[in-house]
Amino acid sequence: MANQPDILRLLTDADQMEYLLDIRMREEIERLDGIPNFTPSEFTFFTNAADNMNVCNAYKIMQNQYVMRESDKIDFEKAMNTLETIHQKLIANPAWLGCQQIK
């Protein structure tokens, strides 16, 4: 999915990214259990997932429960490499790092 044209376009389109991030930040304020003081660039999953055994184990469980054909399964290392590619594209998008907390 990371190579789908619409996804690639979103990752590089600062205006669209800013629009979606604004929705996300407003939702966090309005949601009862939201986390309003946390911007997406502070999300540590991108930098910590590959080394987290809980994430690795949960990924394997997910693959075994929801991916029926062995040929469709994606190994954890490949998934983490794709996650890192997405993270680098997000960092390159000025809207991602420029996202501010809504006051």
Side-chain angles (χ1 to χ4, degrees), residues 9-35:
R9 203 169 16 261
L10 170 63
L11 291 172
T12 59
D13 185 332
D15 291 334
Q16 183 67 17
M17 181 68 69
E18 183 177 2
Y19 173 74
L20 293 174
L21 290 171
D22 184 57
I23 292 170
R24 186 256 177 209
M25 296 303 289
R26 290 185 189 286
E27 176 189 8
E28 291 300 327
I29 288 172
E30 295 170 8
R31 241 182 41 215
L32 182 59
D33 61 345
I35 310 168

Side-chain angles (χ1 to χ4, degrees), residues 24-90:
R24 186 256 177 209
M25 296 303 289
R26 290 185 189 286
E27 176 189 8
E28 291 300 327
I29 288 172
E30 295 170 8
R31 241 182 41 215
L32 182 59
D33 61 345
I35 310 168
N37 298 319
F38 191 78
T39 62
S41 64
E42 296 173 293
F43 188 48
T44 62
F45 187 76
F46 289 109
T47 54
N48 295 337
D51 299 325
N52 187 317
M53 287 310 298
N54 290 330
V55 172
C56 180
N57 291 335
Y59 183 82
K60 289 177 185 175
I61 290 168
M62 179 275 302
Q63 291 267 312
N64 289 332
Q65 289 181 346
Y66 299 108
V67 182
M68 303 306 159
R69 294 185 309 197
E70 284 297 318
S71 62
D72 290 335
K73 291 184 179 180
I74 300 169
D75 73 307
F76 186 70
E77 184 176 336
K78 183 175 181 179
M80 292 301 103
N81 287 338
T82 301
L83 187 67
E84 177 57 25
T85 299
I86 292 168
H87 186 225
Q88 291 306 313
K89 290 178 190 282
L90 287 169

Side-chain angles (χ1 to χ4, degrees), residues 85-103:
T85 299
I86 292 168
H87 186 225
Q88 291 306 313
K89 290 178 190 282
L90 287 169
I91 290 172
N93 187 319
W96 182 260
L97 293 178
C99 182
Q100 301 282 322
Q101 296 175 7
I102 298 175
K103 300 179 175 44

